[in-house]
Amino acid sequence: MQKVKVRSGIELVIVENEAEFAKAAADKVSELLKQKPNAILGLPTGSTPETMYAELVSRYKAGLLDFSQVTTFNLDEYVGLSDTHPQSYHSFMKKHLFDGVNIPSEARHLPSGETKPAEESAAAYEALLTKLGPIDLMILGIGTNGHIGFNEPGTPFDSRVHITSLAPSTIQANSRFFSDESEVPREAVTTGIGNILEARQIMLLAKGESKAEAIAATLQGEVTIEVPASALQQHNSVYVVVDKAAASLLKLE
Ligand code: GLP
């Protein structure tokens, strides 16, 4: 494992393998919960954080972690999927984290994909975040196009919780979870970049060659709304965990 200071406010960890990836990410959560047992966590979905969640569940089962005072806010949810749909982010979280640890059910928050009109779901989630926030540690994955949450290229950095249309590349990337691309929802309710930047600390996770360009643009490129994750350069406490493939286009001394 190699630690690199990319720029002020951004610490980068490059790991050798999947086990190190899961450990580095879970260590960050564990450290926070030791200091602040009632921390508020911002949580991502996707393939990237799966092993971190598995590691957190195993630490909980081993008696090393306690989530009884934790509150969580997920980043996003597809519009139009019921909570129980197998590809909803509600189902993802239940399977990968919530069923395995002791976060009280009333302390787990995700935007609803079922509420109609969808704008009401966004407004309710924004109100809840304002009431309970700020988030202590916002954990993020990244899209190949640099999206965070479902904030696609072109999203203003001061955006709040909103309904967004998925970029064609995102629909294609996420179609692997559905039997056909036509089944991927076209819209999502997502926490805005403005909400993300209000978190006290941010942890960005990325794995694989397909994320290398997005990671280089995020950490060393121009700060531009065309690369939503480049907004993180404006934050003062960002911890980035990547594997060697995702780090391969970074210019490191
Ligand atoms: C989805 C989610 C993002 C996630 C991204 C990357 O579109 N909305 O929050 O970071 O995909 O997913 P993966 O980790 O599967 O590459």
Side-chain angles (χ1 to χ4, degrees), residues 74-86:
N74 265 81
L75 274 167
D76 46 17
E77 178 58 285
Y78 290 114
V79 166
L81 294 192
S82 67
D83 293 358
T84 53
H85 186 286

Side-chain angles (χ1 to χ4, degrees), residues 45-49 75-76 89 141-143 147 149-150 170 174 176 211:
T45 52
S47 308
T48 309
L75 274 167
D76 46 17
Y89 289 166
I142 187 167
H147 76 225
F150 270 126
T170 303
N174 291 7
R176 68 189 194 278
K211 303 292 173 70

Side-chain angles (χ1 to χ4, degrees), residues 25-43:
D27 280 353
K28 186 77 179 164
V29 178
S30 299
E31 279 161 29
L32 173 66
L33 296 188
K34 263 175 208 132
Q35 286 161 17
K36 189 172 183 183
N38 63 345
I40 303 181
L41 303 176
L43 300 177

